[in-house]
Amino acid sequence: MADQLLTTPAQASVPYSDGPIWNAFGLTRAAYLVVPRRTLQSMPQEWQERFVALMAEAYERLPDCAFPEYSVQRKEHGRFIADPLRDYRHTGPIAPKDHA
């Protein structure tokens, strides 16, 4: 009963705490998914178009507070490092995995 009071009609079809995104994060405690621009631009054109369309739809449906401004720094083994994916203008796409 309490769960029904906290959901909107749109949320009722996919529960907030047991939907595809919730499950994709698995047991991690991660609160964010950060995807470098170079990674996104390395996806096939069709995927890029779908991603852009989904993000446009999200911007239309969710309030501005759902999209705050962030700054990201790369870490490796707990230490800040230079990010090789940051140079998206001069490095080209990332090669896909070999599926042998």
Side-chain angles (χ1 to χ4, degrees), residues 1-93:
M1 176 77 172
D3 288 340
Q4 292 173 341
L5 297 175
L6 298 175
T7 60
T8 65
Q11 291 173 320
S13 63
V14 178
Y16 178 79
S17 62
D18 189 27
I21 297 297
W22 183 275
N23 295 332
F25 273 84
L27 297 177
T28 70
R29 295 187 138 185
Y32 303 92
L33 170 66
V34 177
V35 183
R37 179 178 179 160
R38 184 169 172 220
T39 301
L40 295 171
Q41 288 181 193
S42 296
M43 294 188 310
Q45 188 76 23
E46 178 187 344
W47 296 7
Q48 292 183 43
E49 290 168 0
R50 290 182 358 220
F51 177 84
V52 169
L54 286 170
M55 291 307 300
E57 189 173 343
Y59 277 104
E60 287 176 12
R61 290 185 174 212
L62 297 173
D64 290 343
C65 66
F67 302 96
E69 185 175 331
Y70 286 95
S71 180
V72 177
Q73 289 185 296
R74 185 170 175 161
K75 279 185 168 181
E76 200 169 275
H77 307 294
R79 301 183 77 150
F80 292 109
I81 64 167
D83 187 351
L85 296 178
R86 185 179 180 131
D87 190 13
Y88 61 88
R89 293 182 184 195
H90 305 290
T91 52

